[in-house]
Amino acid sequence: MKSSNPFALWRWEKMFGEWQMFGEGFLRTIEVAALALILALVLGIIFGVISTSNNKVMRGIARVYVEFFQNTPLVIQVFFMYNGLAIAGLRLSVFMIGVLGVGIYHGAYVSEVVKTGITSISVGQVEAAKSQGFTYIQYMRYIILPQTIKIILPPLTNQAVNLIKNTSVLAMISGFDLMYMADSWASSSLDYGPSYVFAGFLYFMLCFPLATWARKYEERLKRQDTARIPFEPSEEAVTC
Amino acid sequence: MKKVLSALLILCLVFTLAACSSSTGSKDTATTDGSLDSVIKAGVLRVGVKEDVPNFGLRNTATGEIEGFEIDIVKLLAKEILGDENAYELTPVTAKTRGPLLDNGEVDLIIATFTITDERKLTYNFSTPYYEDAVGLLVKKDAGFKGLADMNGKVIGVAQSATSKEAVNKVATEKGITVSFSEYATYPEIKAALDSGRVDAFCVDGSILGGYVDDSTMILPDRFSPQQYGVTSKLDSLALTEAVDGYINEWLKDGTIEGLITKWGLNY
């Protein structure tokens, strides 16, 4: 039983005997990531659309949001929400901070992705829609946004994967997520080897299927396109 | 599905290989146990110490040097082993980094308020304890707590890797109350959480706590389960461990350590 090898077999056995701890953290990470992803998508679509509008004030607001959250570290944002807001009297639960902090942070990135997606659709489409009497909301909803999905799906998946991994910032503010549990187990039992390898494996299990699914989905959309369009567009042109 | 499986297999293989290589690595050092000789050969004693614990190991912002009770022990050891009290190299550690730093050979010893437990003895060697301390609680004055008994349902901030969590839990169960815990990587983070009201008490070894008392906070009279600090070394560095243990025992007998404890105001 006595061994200085951080990967010794008995350390693994000891850790899997306490698997509930990791299960709890894993569940917390999934919950936070799922809600934060929804928030990031909602914010991203709203601000992405706003930043392509003709209204200068609206564009300004979107710009400030994106620049502020993209150019300050997530760690500081979360630490501020945890301690700063608490001193000011607003005590959010760590779960809420996880959802809001990570969601708002990634919303800024999603917004940029959505914006580039919209601007990549040719102006002719908007003009055609307008000539048919579509309002701004209508042509965004029915003409532009559906077309952008294919373009933005790969970078969007990157964001989703990053978002999942970034929920590990909760470990810093005692957020009881997977990373926190791994830290806690690693430092209390000194079995940091199995603990971090296993946590890494669980994060991989979350991110890898998502990335794979998005790749498959994108390929399917592309196939549907090539079926409809008589001219064969080259593969590379569509892949970002 | 096949692809996923093969990817997983490769992953498992990588981890197994990593495990194997690290185990052969430690075997090599075990057969040559030149732990003491290699320190002498290097001419410098590399020690992991705390830099955020007042009186034990705290970085003096004016000079940039780390100072404290544990640094003085490092100096004494460097003098005994290498004949020069300045032949040491300090690496700041946290509860989380000290184990890995010792394992990968970055440091020869850890002297960083490392509490000795039976479980930990399976992983590292510990010297005879050079300091004994009990866990204490730091609370806000205006919270009105008189002791742990008043803290039913409250949140207690503890340091990762610290034994204080179990210590408090045990006493809380005896008193018939339940408390929950939030773990943080460093002590200043726990203090920040106490200031912002995220935790109701900052719980750590009493002597460490002493450095964090300010106008708005106070230490409760409750003290739990004495913790013993030992000089920590790798399980296979037997020669070094024995040498260090010999010196510590000597200094415990001749009052050198007692003198240092008084010097740093650590005798409560």
Side-chain angles (χ1 to χ4, degrees):
Chain A
M1 273 282 276
K2 235 178 161 187
S3 161
S4 61
N5 178 7
F7 290 98
L9 192 63
W10 60 271
R11 295 186 192 280
W12 289 90
E13 285 164 3
K14 203 164 87 186
M15 182 185 75
F16 285 118
E18 296 282 325
W19 68 271
Q20 293 95 333
M21 226 182 121
F22 286 83
E24 242 169 72
F26 190 51
L27 206 66
R28 177 54 91 85
T29 290
I30 294 175
E31 288 165 1
V32 169
L35 291 174
L37 185 63
I38 293 170
L39 180 65
L41 286 175
V42 169
L43 286 175
I45 291 170
I46 292 174
F47 283 96
V49 170
I50 283 179
S51 59
T52 59
S53 79
N54 291 326
N55 188 324
K56 250 191 185 165
V57 180
M58 298 286 256
R59 274 211 315 268
I61 292 171
R63 211 61 245 145
V64 169
Y65 165 65
V66 169
E67 296 300 340
F68 179 78
F69 285 99
Q70 276 196 350
N71 296 309
T72 50
L74 176 59
V75 172
I76 290 181
Q77 292 166 18
V78 166
F79 196 74
F80 172 79
M81 291 173 91
Y82 187 68
N83 284 323
L85 290 186
I87 290 173
L90 179 62
R91 283 194 51 171
L92 298 167
S93 71
V94 280
F95 185 83
M96 277 306 284
I97 292 177
V99 173
L100 290 177
V102 177
I104 294 174
Y105 176 80
H106 279 278
Y109 284 90
V110 173
S111 154
E112 286 295 271
V113 170
V114 171
K115 182 186 149 197
T116 42
I118 293 172
T119 48
S120 71
I121 305 291
S122 89
V123 195
Q125 302 262 349
V126 177
E127 283 164 358
K130 275 182 181 164
S131 75
Q132 297 302 309
F134 279 69
T135 64
Y136 176 80
I137 301 285
Q138 279 174 333
Y139 71 67
M140 270 298 169
R141 164 73 184 81
Y142 294 104
I143 311 287
I144 309 297
L145 287 180
Q147 293 189 73
T148 56
I149 289 177
K150 268 166 282 186
I151 302 165
I152 66 174
L153 201 62
L156 216 51
T157 317
N158 277 340
Q159 283 306 318
V161 169
N162 273 333
L163 181 145
I164 293 174
K165 290 185 291 186
N166 273 344
T167 56
S168 59
V169 75
L170 283 185
M172 196 189 67
I173 56 164
S174 188
F176 294 91
D177 65 317
L178 179 54
M179 192 65 213
Y180 173 84
M181 292 302 187
D183 267 347
S184 176
W185 176 252
S187 49
S188 67
S189 68
L190 301 180
D191 300 336
Y192 58 86
S195 181
Y196 289 129
V197 167
F198 186 51
F201 174 75
L202 289 178
Y203 277 110
F204 182 86
M205 289 307 287
L206 273 186
C207 296
F208 182 69
L210 183 66
T212 313
W213 170 82
R215 206 184 59 233
K216 294 256 165 72
Y217 181 72
E218 189 201 349
E219 278 163 9
R220 209 174 66 214
L221 283 177
K222 266 194 256 169
R223 268 203 306 276
Q224 282 171 2
D225 265 10
T226 41
R228 244 178 269 143
I229 302 165
F231 303 104
E232 190 121 325
S234 80
E235 280 265 328
E236 279 162 64
V238 194
T239 323
C240 285
Chain B
M1 200 56 216
K2 250 185 191 169
K3 268 185 197 164
V4 178
L5 275 179
S6 58
L8 281 179
L9 275 177
I10 289 169
L11 206 71
C12 291
L13 198 69
V14 169
F15 287 145
T16 330
L17 280 179
C20 286
S21 62
S22 65
S23 65
T24 45
S26 56
K27 250 177 227 152
D28 282 348
T29 47
T31 46
T32 55
D33 189 16
S35 48
L36 187 58
D37 297 335
S38 71
V39 169
I40 293 168
K41 211 176 142 201
V44 61
L45 184 67
R46 298 166 308 157
V47 188
V49 295
K50 289 278 178 81
E51 64 167 350
D52 59 352
V53 184
N55 300 326
F56 278 84
L58 184 70
R59 194 178 286 279
N60 184 329
T61 44
T63 59
E65 299 290 318
I66 306 176
E67 298 166 352
F69 171 47
E70 290 178 329
I71 315 313
D72 285 354
I73 296 181
V74 174
K75 284 181 185 164
L76 285 173
L77 284 172
K79 196 175 173 189
E80 290 291 342
I81 297 172
L82 299 163
D84 176 6
E85 71 158 20
N86 290 314
Y88 63 85
E89 198 181 282
L90 300 179
T91 305
V93 300
T94 65
K96 201 158 105 188
T97 61
R98 59 191 177 188
L101 281 170
L102 196 58
D103 284 338
N104 66 24
E106 288 281 316
V107 297
D108 303 310
L109 297 171
I110 295 283
I111 309 183
T113 64
F114 212 147
T115 302
I116 307 167
T117 69
D118 285 338
E119 193 191 11
R120 287 176 175 180
K121 280 182 187 162
L122 296 174
T123 308
Y124 300 117
N125 281 321
F126 288 91
S127 73
T128 308
Y130 56 81
Y131 190 76
E132 189 170 293
D133 193 12
V135 171
L137 291 163
L138 183 74
V139 295
K140 279 193 176 170
K141 277 181 188 161
D142 53 23
F145 298 122
K146 296 224 161 42
L148 185 66
D150 301 335
M151 305 203 67
N152 196 11
K154 299 293 176 190
V155 184
I156 295 178
V158 294
Q160 277 169 4
S161 188
T163 45
S164 27
K165 187 169 147 185
E166 280 145 48
V168 173
N169 231 346
K170 218 176 108 197
V171 181
T173 318
E174 282 166 15
K175 294 196 185 216
I177 61 168
T178 48
V179 288
S180 56
F181 295 91
S182 283
E183 293 178 26
Y184 301 86
T186 63
Y187 300 127
E189 277 175 75
I190 313 178
K191 182 63 171 52
L194 178 68
D195 288 339
S196 68
R198 283 286 170 185
V199 297
D200 300 297
F202 175 172
C203 173
V204 69
D205 307 2
S207 50
I208 299 175
L209 218 46
Y212 288 94
V213 184
D214 57 20
D215 296 341
S216 64
T217 54
M218 60 173 196
I219 299 177
L220 291 179
D222 289 3
R223 287 295 165 103
F224 327 100
S225 58
Q227 320 265 305
Q228 296 179 320
Y229 299 158
V231 178
T232 319
S233 51
K234 256 177 118 157
L235 212 48
D236 44 25
S237 319
L238 283 176
L240 182 63
T241 310
E242 270 166 33
V244 168
D245 196 42
Y247 295 130
I248 295 284
N249 275 316
E250 196 185 310
W251 297 328
L252 280 170
K253 266 194 215 111
D254 69 10
T256 312
I257 292 207
E258 193 60 48
L260 287 179
I261 289 174
T262 314
K263 176 187 166 190
W264 291 100
L266 291 169
N267 33 1
Y268 287 87

